[in-house]
Amino acid sequence: MGRITLDKVSKRFGDVEVIPPLDLTIEDGEFTVFVGPSGCGKSTLLRLIAGLEDTTSGQIRIDSQDATHVPPAKRGLAMVFQSYALYPHMSVRKNIAFPMKMAGVPEDEQKRRIEAAANALNLTDYLDRRPGQLSGGQRQRVAIGRAIVREPSAFLFDEPLSNLDAALRVGMRLEISELHERLKTTMIYVTHDQVEAMTMADKIVVLQAGVIEQVGSPLELYHEPRNKFVAGFIGSPKMNFIEGAEAGKHGAHTIGIRPEHIAVSADEGPWSGAVSVSEHLGSDTFFHVHDTGLAETITVRADGEVGFRHGDRIRLTPRAELIHKFDENGLRIA
Amino acid sequence: MATQHSRSAARLMMAPAVVLLLGWMLVPLIMTLYFSFKKYLPLRGGDLGWVGFDNYVRFVTSSAFWPSVLATLAIVGGVLVITVVFGVLLAILLNQPMWGQGIVRILVIAPFFVMPTVSALVWKNMFMDPVNGLFAHLWKFFGAQPVEWLSQASLQSIVMIVSWQWLPFATLILLTAIQSLDSEQLEAAEMDGASPLKRFAYITLPHLSRAITVVVLIQTIFLLAIFAEIFVTTQGSFGTRTLTYLIYQRVLESQNVGLGSAGGVYAIILANIVAIFLMRIVGKNLDA
Ligand SMILES: Nc1ncnc2c1ncn2[C@@H]1O[C@H](COP(=O)(O)OP(=O)(O)O)[C@@H](O)[C@H]1O
Ligand SMILES: [Mg+2]
C-alpha cells in the first residue's frame, strides 16, 4: 500500500515561503511525476514527503496514517537521490544490504533479496565492486537496488537521470517504467524535464514557485492545459503564444497553438512569414518563422521531407479546433 | 611537461633545490653516524679516537634506555588516542550550524599558535602547580587534597599538555574532512533506518579514515621528537625521560657526543619502526 496525502502542507526556510499551503493526493500504485523549472520546490516537496525536512504546517498522511512527525526511516518510503548517495567505502553488495542490515532482516533473506535485485537490475557481475568502480548508469541501478530491497510502500526519485548522458537516460527511463509495471508500487518522480514527465507518468503535477499549477494525466495536460504556464511547459517544442488582434478574433487575450498543429505550405494559409532557421531532425523539421506580424517567432513542426530554407516566404495554417484560448490572467477559456 | 626539452629544463631548474635539501638532510645524518663511532668528550679531552660499536652497546645496555623507549611510546600513543578521539568529536560539533561559528573555530585553533615552551610553562605554573594552580584551587574547593601533577602523574600530565597543543591540528584536519562528506549520504542512511550512532559508525567514520591516517602519521613524526614540554616541566624525571630527552642528557649534561650520537641513530631506527607499523595499520587507507 502507498497512498500519500498532503493536506495544506507548507514549508518556509526562514522568511522565504518555498511551498505555500498545498493539497495533493497520490493514489496507491500510481506513477506520479513532479515537474517544474529549477528552484520551484520539487525537491523540497519530495523531501517533505520523505521526512528529511519538517513541514511548517499541514499534515502528511501515508495510507491514512498521520506521518507528519514520523521519522524518515519509519515512513516505509525509499528514496533515490540525484547524486545516488551510495556509500563509497562499501561494496555494491553491502550498499544494497545496508537498509536490510539496519532493519535486522535475517541473513538468508538478505541474500535472497540482494540476488533478486541484482538479477533484475543486471548487477550480478558487479556485486563485489565499489561504487567508484562503476559507470553512472550502474551506480544509478545500485541506488535503485538499495531502494527495492526495502520493499517500500512508495519510491521517491529526485532527478535520478540528470547525471546521465542522453542515450543512457532514455534507457534508464524505460527501466524505471518497467520496474513500475512489475512492482506496481507507488512512485513519485521529480524532474525538470517535461519529456521524462510525459513519457513516464500516470499523473503529472506541474509546479511553479511551490504552487501546483495543474494535476493530470500527460494527455490531459497536453490537450487541456489549465493556464499559459502549463501550456508552455508541456510539449516540445514550446507552444506558440499570440496576443493582440489575432487573439481577439477568437475572443481571447492570448491564443496558443502547438508547433505540430500548424500546417506549412508555399502559397496557402492565413498567416505568412519568412523562415529564419530550419532544423532538420530527419523525421521532423522545425521551422522558426519570423515576420508573421503575430509574434516574434512562430515555431512550426513539419514533415522531415519539407525543404524550405532560410529566407523562404511560407504560409501557415493553424488547425482551428486545436487553438488554446487564454484570458488576460493566463487562465484557459473553455 | 610534455616534451623532452621541457622535462630536462624542469630537472635543471629543480636541481638546486633538490641538492640543497639533500645536503641539509645528509650532512647532519652523516655527522651523527661519524660521531657515533667515536669517543668524543668535548670538555674531557675532545676527540679520543675510534671506538667501533662501543657507544651503541653502552647506550642500549644503560638502565635508562628501555624506560625511555617506553616513555616515548606511551606519550606518542596517549596523545594520538586523545587527539584523534576528541578531534573527531570536536570536528562533528564544530560542523553543526551554530551562532558565532567563525569565532569558535578560531578559538579552537588558537592553542596551535602557542609555542610549546610557553604552553608547557603556562600549564605547569597556572594549572598544575600544587599550591597556586587552578586545579589545586578546584580540588581544594571540593575539599580534596591537591594533586602534585608533575610528580604524581607526570606522564599523564605531559600527555595532557601535548594533547592540548595538538588537538587543534587534529580538529582542523578532521573538520575539513567532515565538511567534504556528502550530506545526501547521511540522509540516505537516515532513510535506510540507521540511527545517529550507526550513521556515525557506518558513514562518517569511514569517510574520516583517510584524514585520521594523515593526522596519525604527521603527529607521530612530531611527537617522537617532543622536547620543550619535558624540558620546562619535569626535566625528564618521574618517568618522563623520552629517548629524545635521554640523548639530550647524554650529549649536553654528560658531555658525551659519541654516546648521544649513537642514541640519535637508535631514535632514527625507532621512528622507522613506528612508521612502518603505522603504515601497516592505517596506511592502506591512503591508497584508493
Ligand atoms: N535548506 C534550505 N534553506 C534555504 N532555502 C532552501 C533550502 N533548500 C531549498 N531552498 C530553496 O527552496 C527553493 C526550492 O528548492 P528546491 O526544492 O531544491 O527546487 P527544485 O528541486 O525544484 O529545483 C529554492 O529557491 C531554494 O533556494
Ligand atoms: Mg531539485
Side-chain angles (χ1 to χ4, degrees):
Chain A
M1 286 298 287
R3 183 175 195 268
I4 298 167
T5 313
L6 307 187
D7 193 355
K8 307 223 169 24
V9 168
S10 75
K11 177 68 185 173
R12 300 176 148 276
F13 288 112
D15 291 339
V16 189
E17 185 164 58
V18 176
I19 311 237
L22 150 166
D23 295 310
L24 181 66
T25 302
I26 291 150
E27 298 296 340
D28 181 37
E30 212 170 40
F31 197 119
T32 302
V33 174
F34 294 169
V35 67
S38 262
C40 71
K42 308 176 296 285
S43 297
T44 307
L45 194 56
L46 196 70
R47 292 165 58 83
L48 285 171
I49 295 172
L52 294 171
E53 302 277 359
D54 292 323
T55 54
T56 305
S57 68
Q59 196 186 47
I60 297 171
R61 286 191 297 274
I62 299 174
D63 295 329
S64 37
Q65 304 273 332
D66 182 3
T68 319
H69 302 290
V70 175
K74 299 259 156 58
R75 296 191 183 194
L77 310 175
M79 184 146 165
V80 175
F81 292 83
Q82 182 171 0
S83 67
Y84 317 139
L86 300 178
Y87 311 128
H89 50 276
M90 298 182 198
S91 65
V92 169
R93 186 190 305 279
K94 289 205 173 129
N95 261 284
I96 297 178
F98 190 75
M100 297 189 280
K101 190 169 160 187
M102 291 301 121
V105 175
E107 290 276 341
D108 44 346
E109 172 67 10
Q110 282 191 22
K111 226 172 146 183
R112 194 188 62 72
R113 286 198 214 170
I114 291 172
E115 254 148 47
N119 263 329
L121 295 164
N122 281 326
L123 286 171
T124 316
D125 296 339
Y126 308 103
L127 279 176
D128 294 311
R129 294 212 196 160
R130 297 265 181 107
Q133 299 163 311
L134 300 179
S135 71
Q138 289 165 340
R139 283 180 213 186
Q140 179 65 72
R141 285 204 282 268
V142 176
I144 294 174
R146 192 172 64 183
I148 291 177
V149 294
R150 292 182 52 194
E151 304 183 342
S153 56
F155 289 93
L156 312 177
F157 294 92
D158 191 355
E159 310 217 11
L161 307 186
S162 56
N163 290 342
L164 302 179
D165 64 54
L168 212 49
R169 213 177 299 163
V170 175
M172 282 306 298
R173 209 162 76 194
L174 285 174
E175 281 190 40
I176 294 176
S177 294
E178 272 167 25
L179 190 71
H180 179 246
E181 291 301 326
R182 202 148 37 84
L183 299 176
K184 306 253 185 275
T185 311
T186 313
M187 290 190 178
I188 304 178
Y189 186 104
V190 164
T191 179
H192 62 265
D193 180 354
Q194 60 92 24
V195 177
E196 275 176 29
M198 293 297 280
T199 51
M200 301 172 86
D202 294 323
K203 181 159 94 186
I204 297 181
V205 177
V206 183
L207 289 162
Q208 184 189 205
V211 178
I212 295 183
E213 295 288 350
Q214 190 169 4
V215 179
S217 72
L219 289 183
E220 271 167 32
L221 264 54
Y222 180 82
H223 290 303
E224 286 180 23
R226 208 170 64 83
N227 56 32
K228 261 178 76 182
F229 176 79
V230 177
F233 196 78
I234 299 291
S236 170
K238 229 167 118 23
M239 184 186 279
N240 298 295
F241 291 109
I242 298 165
E243 293 180 3
E246 185 67 28
K249 282 189 213 161
H250 294 85
H253 178 265
T254 310
I255 56 169
I257 180 81
R258 295 193 185 278
E260 54 269 40
H261 297 152
I262 301 175
V264 243
S265 88
D267 42 24
E268 263 177 73
W271 301 343
S272 84
V275 174
S276 78
V277 175
S278 56
E279 297 172 313
H280 297 278
L281 303 185
S283 57
D284 304 301
T285 304
F286 298 128
F287 295 112
H288 298 270
V289 185
H290 284 185
D291 292 336
T292 53
L294 303 163
E296 182 149 359
T297 311
I298 298 239
T299 311
V300 185
R301 191 181 111 184
D303 203 73
E305 306 306 319
V306 180
F308 297 113
R309 296 170 166 283
H310 172 78
D312 289 354
R313 288 212 68 88
I314 56 169
R315 301 196 71 85
L316 310 171
T317 315
R319 285 172 61 184
E321 75 279 15
L322 294 174
I323 289 176
H324 302 263
K325 289 173 275 189
F326 303 98
D327 65 17
E328 49 281 3
N329 298 321
L331 286 177
R332 179 185 190 81
I333 305 172
Chain B
M1 302 274 269
T3 65
Q4 193 72 43
H5 181 74
S6 63
R7 262 200 300 270
S8 49
R11 265 190 220 126
L12 199 71
M13 284 186 239
M14 285 188 322
V18 173
V19 168
L20 197 72
L21 268 175
L22 214 62
W24 207 269
M25 259 173 49
L26 285 179
V27 169
L29 182 66
I30 288 169
M31 282 178 70
T32 307
L33 282 170
Y34 173 79
F35 283 124
S36 70
F37 292 107
K38 292 209 129 177
K39 189 172 172 81
Y40 187 68
L41 308 167
L43 299 182
R44 288 171 282 154
D47 191 346
L48 300 174
W50 298 98
V51 290
F53 282 92
D54 261 16
N55 286 326
Y56 287 92
V57 175
R58 271 187 64 198
F59 197 89
V60 194
T61 49
S62 105
S63 62
F65 176 72
W66 286 109
S68 76
V69 171
L70 289 182
T72 309
L73 294 180
I75 290 176
V76 172
V79 174
L80 283 181
V81 169
I82 291 176
T83 50
V84 168
V85 170
F86 284 93
V88 169
L89 295 180
L90 265 177
I92 291 173
L93 203 66
L94 290 178
N95 195 38
Q96 308 296 322
M98 60 178 169
W99 189 82
Q101 199 168 38
I103 291 176
V104 172
R105 283 186 187 169
I106 289 172
L107 283 179
V108 166
I109 289 150
F112 202 49
F113 301 123
V114 180
M115 281 174 280
T117 335
V118 175
S119 84
L121 279 173
V122 167
W123 274 92
K124 179 187 175 187
N125 295 320
M126 294 180 68
F127 290 98
M128 293 176 165
D129 191 284
V131 181
N132 296 315
L134 225 72
F135 289 155
H137 284 296
L138 199 68
W139 258 243
K140 273 184 244 165
F141 179 79
F142 288 106
Q145 175 71 25
V147 181
E148 288 180 32
W149 289 95
L150 289 170
S151 49
Q152 289 170 350
S154 48
L155 207 61
Q156 290 89 323
S157 302
I158 301 246
V159 167
M160 190 148 82
I161 295 171
V162 178
S163 298
W164 182 81
Q165 281 169 7
W166 282 92
L167 190 55
F169 172 77
T171 306
L172 198 64
I173 301 244
L174 294 169
L175 179 63
T176 54
I178 268 193
Q179 284 170 335
S180 73
L181 176 58
D182 176 13
S183 65
E184 284 197 346
Q185 269 180 40
L186 288 173
E187 287 176 344
E190 187 179 353
M191 292 213 65
D192 283 346
S195 62
L197 219 58
K198 290 214 168 114
R199 289 205 288 277
F200 173 75
Y202 286 105
I203 313 294
T204 312
L205 210 53
H207 175 79
L208 287 181
S209 62
R210 196 180 295 201
I212 291 177
T213 311
V214 170
V215 167
V216 166
L217 289 179
I218 292 181
Q219 286 199 152
T220 304
I221 294 168
F222 285 92
L223 293 177
L224 280 171
I226 55 163
F227 178 79
E229 293 85 345
I230 299 170
F231 183 75
V232 300
T233 54
T234 60
Q235 301 261 319
S237 50
F238 308 114
T240 59
R241 183 156 53 193
T242 60
L243 197 53
T244 323
Y245 206 84
L246 183 66
I247 294 165
Y248 158 78
Q249 286 185 333
R250 290 291 180 263
V251 174
L252 273 141
E253 289 178 9
S254 330
Q255 288 288 329
N256 190 337
V257 174
L259 194 58
S261 298
V265 175
Y266 281 122
I268 295 170
I269 294 169
L270 177 71
N272 277 292
I273 292 174
V274 172
I276 288 169
F277 257 100
L278 286 173
M279 287 303 238
R280 272 276 169 93
I281 299 167
V282 290
K284 60 177 184 292
N285 288 329
L286 283 179
D287 37 71

